[in-house]
Amino acid sequence: MKQRLNIQELEPNAYKAILEIFKYLETTSLSKNIKNLIKIRSSQINSCAYCIEIHTTEALKNGEKQNRIFALSAWKESPLFSEKEKALLTATDEITQVSNNGLTEDTFQKLKSYFSHNEIAQIIIQIGEINIWNRIAVSTLMFHHPS
């Protein structure tokens, strides 16, 4: 497959704006572990091979265990994720697939038991940010070829 478009070259101002969201998220209190779980899970839902490759590699470098990455697609049935992580992953699933039911009240209440309102806002922004990248990568046929 050949990449259809290069949005970075065609729309550099839009690309820079998305990078600003990324830079903001780097300053938040969310742990790398939380950000990695969101990025990988959203990328799985959106079938974004490019982002799955990038973010699983990043997660491994940040100390995530392989077996948790392998189990992430079946996180609901896995004993490898804490209740806090399951609340986060439920929110990731619901927000990534927002047209289904949105972020449900039950999920929001579970998030509130583990995260502050500011952290929940940061989680929502993180989910939105990775979804932007997923949509760009899938629509333009981006793929990272290993060297």
Side-chain angles (χ1 to χ4, degrees):
M1 278 188 291
K2 185 179 173 199
Q3 187 171 340
R4 290 177 175 150
L5 301 168
N6 185 323
I7 289 183
Q8 185 176 7
E9 289 175 5
L10 293 168
E11 292 293 335
N13 290 335
Y15 200 86
K16 285 178 195 169
I18 301 166
L19 284 176
E20 288 302 316
I21 297 170
F22 170 80
K23 289 177 189 174
Y24 156 75
L25 287 163
E26 290 297 298
T27 71
T28 67
S29 61
L30 298 178
S31 70
K32 287 182 189 224
N33 172 267
I34 286 172
K35 290 187 239 185
N36 287 331
L37 288 175
I38 290 169
K39 290 175 184 180
I40 297 167
R41 182 63 189 141
S42 286
S43 299
Q44 288 175 337
I45 293 167
N46 292 322
S47 298
C48 184
Y50 179 83
C51 294
I52 290 170
E53 181 182 344
I54 299 281
H55 298 301
T56 55
T57 301
E58 177 184 33
L60 290 168
K61 285 180 186 170
N62 289 328
E64 184 58 82
K65 293 181 174 38
Q66 285 184 344
N67 62 334
R68 282 171 40 95
I69 293 173
F70 299 153
L72 193 52
S73 63
W75 67 264
K76 288 177 188 171
E77 292 79 28
S78 176
L80 300 176
F81 301 97
S82 69
E83 290 305 310
K84 177 180 179 179
E85 290 169 328
K86 287 184 177 190
L88 174 77
L89 291 167
T90 302
T92 301
D93 285 14
E94 289 179 359
I95 295 168
T96 297
Q97 300 172 80
V98 73
S99 66
N100 290 348
N101 293 304
L103 181 62
T104 64
E105 186 61 29
D106 183 54
T107 301
F108 180 68
Q109 293 304 321
K110 285 180 184 165
L111 284 174
K112 281 176 46 176
S113 64
Y114 299 107
F115 301 98
S116 71
H117 281 187
N118 281 90
E119 290 170 325
I120 294 170
Q122 294 166 7
I123 288 166
I124 292 168
I125 295 164
Q126 179 64 73
I127 295 166
E129 185 255 1
I130 189 57
N131 273 277
I132 292 170
W133 290 121
N134 290 165
R135 281 149 177 76
I136 289 171
V138 171
S139 300
T140 64
L141 299 179
M142 286 174 73
F143 190 76
H144 180 263
H145 298 282
S147 19

